[in-house]
Amino acid sequence: DAVAASLTARNIDYRLGRYQQSYDRLMANRNEVVAVDDKYLYAYWFYQRGCASRELGRKVPALADLHTSLTMFRQIRSFPNIKDCYEEISITYQQMERYDSAFHYLQLFQHLNDSIYTSDKDSRIAEMETQFNMAEKDRQLLQNKILMDEQVAIAKEQDARQVYFIIALCVLLLIV
């Protein structure tokens, strides 16, 4: 938890434009990140260092770190992070004026972004269909229960009529 909090603080430094501070603190925390033995945190450490390096003008080391984080995120199948890596690699290539590579990673970013969006949308649709089907079944069960209750009431009423008829018949036979 302390390592994750430290990475979050470095991310805040980066977002506030304190790139050198973010980079220096990431370097100071590297051994702690490695010691945790969490592939996600280590991949995220490379991602953050790559972004900070790029902003400090160190484009080649930035690409190396971003590609390392991309490889690690692929290994753990962290698709939102893979998408972010594609975007940052594209930005880095664009700043290096390597537009063909920038375009390639931008396409990968857009494709994965669309896939994630479609997957999320499909999941939400499936969830809504399930909720609708459950509500429909509940409604049908309630209707069946009401129908059965009505049939039971009718049967009891018929039974009562038959009992009254038999009593009336017995009374009539007694009188005659």
Side-chain angles (χ1 to χ4, degrees), residues 10-27:
R10 301 306 61 86
N11 192 24
I12 292 169
D13 288 339
Y14 175 82
R15 294 194 183 279
L16 292 175
R18 300 188 298 237
Y19 308 122
Q20 187 64 52
Q21 183 177 351
S22 177
Y23 181 86
D24 291 343
R25 289 186 177 169
L26 283 166
M27 293 306 294

Side-chain angles (χ1 to χ4, degrees), residues 3 5 15 19 38 41 46 48 55-56 68-69 74 85 92 98 101 112-113 118 129 131 135 140 151 154 164 166:
V3 172
R15 294 194 183 279
Y19 308 122
D38 182 322
L41 290 177
F46 275 108
Q48 285 187 312
E55 297 305 322
L56 294 171
T68 299
S69 68
R74 282 179 177 157
C85 286
T92 305
R98 291 182 52 191
S101 297
L112 188 54
N113 192 44
T118 300
E129 285 176 345
Q131 289 175 348
Q140 187 65 39
Q151 289 174 348
I154 290 171
Y164 293 140
I166 290 172

